[in-house]
Amino acid sequence: MAGSGRGRGGRPRPALLLLLLLLHLRWPQVAGAAGARWSGPGTTPHLQTIFLGRCAEQIALQNPELRDKNCTAIWEAFKVVLDKDPCSVRPSDYDLFINLSRHSIPRDKSLFWENNHLLVTSYAENGRRLVPLCNVLYGRVGDFLNWCRQTNASGLDYQSCPTSEDCENNPVDSFWRSASIQYARDSSGVINVMLNGSEPAGAYPVKGFFADFEIPYLQKDKITRIEIWVMHEIGGPKVESCGEGSVKLLEERLDKMGFQYSCIDDYPPVKLLKCVEHSTHPDCALSSAAASTQREAFYAVQGACFIFPLLAAFASVAQM
């Protein structure tokens, strides 16, 4: 059949072979997308370029004090895992990478979180307000990226990569375990924790990165207290709040570990940020009322500053 793409005997035509070769070389993630083996997305295209670019940007623009860091050496230490079986990568395989890229975290600036990645990055403001894991160098270079080697061949797998559903020791989860442990160890002063109180499964996953790879590695002698912020979606359900459900389990755990802690529902500065996109929603009405009250108080003070000198002047004239 003329349109089948194959000649007699089932052998591929030369033109089709050339097309498949070009597809594999130019867009390897597309060439075999139908044959995805794992449940997670494949390696991010241009992984090395993105990695090195983020490293250079972090050093040049956001943390000039890290100018002695060598991005090429950090990449070489990272890419060792790209030669390993995608289900045989352990957190310890990133040890050299972590050692080359780690740096101090400003006191009182750490921000841990669960189930609100985008809100955390928005509020942190590239590390200018707070410094979550994605704003330290070893977290920045891997944020939102995927990577793994092909199972039975050399080269990266652009079709799919394993997640925890496929195997525990996969490249990405092992990376974040290693990074989370180091981040927790380096955090000090006031520790901030942002949870999602609208998450159906609960604000504090009892099995998650914060519970398993961050809390156990907090250095008690370096920490003043822990502040928990339970944020709720604007217009969304309030599944859990402070003192309820999984949040209560977290509070009890911290108490048993001897940490001083406090819990706030809908921490106002973060809620104000969420209300920027929902300014007319009833959930944001309190913010508007508070602003109105502040304006009224401001004008009252201004009026008093004007009236009191005027009354004093009248009194002075009356005594003359």
Side-chain angles (χ1 to χ4, degrees), residues 181-192:
I181 290 171
Q182 190 62 56
Y183 179 75
R185 285 174 173 163
D186 290 340
S187 296
S188 63
V190 177
I191 302 299
N192 307 289

Side-chain angles (χ1 to χ4, degrees), residues 30-99:
V30 175
R37 172 174 181 173
W38 306 111
S39 60
T43 299
T44 304
H46 313 296
L47 176 66
Q48 180 177 356
T49 301
I50 296 172
F51 183 107
L52 292 173
R54 286 181 174 182
C55 181
E57 178 187 29
Q58 184 87 3
I59 293 172
L61 301 180
Q62 296 175 21
N63 295 96
E65 67 275 13
L66 304 181
R67 56 185 173 275
D68 292 334
K69 298 290 185 183
N70 186 325
C71 290
T72 301
I74 293 171
W75 164 256
E76 292 295 326
F78 169 86
K79 77 170 188 176
V80 168
V81 303
L82 302 179
D83 293 326
K84 296 179 69 71
D85 180 274
C87 279
S88 299
V89 177
R90 299 181 180 278
S92 58
D93 291 321
Y94 292 100
D95 283 354
L96 179 57
F97 159 77
I98 292 290
N99 289 335

Side-chain angles (χ1 to χ4, degrees), residues 114-275:
E114 284 285 4
N115 296 316
N116 42 29
H117 194 172
L118 293 177
L119 179 59
V120 163
T121 55
S122 295
Y123 183 70
E125 202 175 343
N126 286 326
R128 285 185 284 272
R129 183 176 287 120
L130 290 174
V131 184
L133 175 54
C134 59
N135 285 132
V136 298
L137 181 57
Y138 52 83
R140 175 70 182 120
V141 294
D143 200 27
F144 288 112
L145 302 182
N146 291 288
W147 58 89
C148 67
R149 194 203 75 181
Q150 296 182 57
T151 304
N152 297 312
S154 61
L156 300 178
D157 190 338
Y158 291 96
Q159 301 172 41
S160 63
C161 286
T163 67
S164 57
E165 297 178 3
D166 302 300
C167 55
E168 179 181 0
N169 294 318
N170 63 78
V172 175
D173 282 342
S174 290
F175 173 90
W176 289 114
R177 290 187 194 114
S178 179
S180 292
I181 290 171
Q182 190 62 56
Y183 179 75
R185 285 174 173 163
D186 290 340
S187 296
S188 63
V190 177
I191 302 299
N192 307 289
V193 181
M194 191 187 298
L195 303 177
N196 187 344
S198 295
E199 170 61 36
Y204 165 65
V206 293
K207 286 292 182 182
F209 280 91
F210 181 53
D212 295 337
F213 302 103
E214 292 173 338
I215 291 179
Y217 296 93
L218 293 172
Q219 307 297 296
K220 190 171 181 297
D221 59 328
K222 295 165 52 178
I223 294 172
T224 307
R225 70 180 188 278
I226 298 175
E227 292 190 358
I228 306 166
W229 307 335
V230 182
M231 306 305 302
H232 301 95
E233 299 298 331
I234 303 300
K238 293 190 175 183
V239 178
E240 289 182 347
S241 298
C242 292
E244 299 176 355
S246 65
V247 182
K248 184 177 181 180
L249 294 178
L250 172 59
E251 293 171 341
E252 291 173 348
R253 181 179 183 183
L254 296 176
D255 186 55
K256 288 180 181 178
M257 295 175 71
F259 286 110
Q260 297 292 323
Y261 71 89
S262 60
C263 186
I264 302 173
D265 287 322
D266 294 314
Y267 180 55
V270 179
K271 184 174 181 179
L272 284 173
L273 176 63
K274 293 172 69 69
C275 283

Side-chain angles (χ1 to χ4, degrees), residues 266-304:
D266 294 314
Y267 180 55
V270 179
K271 184 174 181 179
L272 284 173
L273 176 63
K274 293 172 69 69
C275 283
V276 168
E277 297 182 358
H278 305 276
S279 58
T280 60
H281 195 279
D283 285 357
C284 296
L286 280 177
S287 298
S288 300
S292 176
T293 301
Q294 289 177 348
R295 285 195 298 270
E296 290 173 3
F298 173 76
Y299 292 133
V301 170
Q302 278 195 323

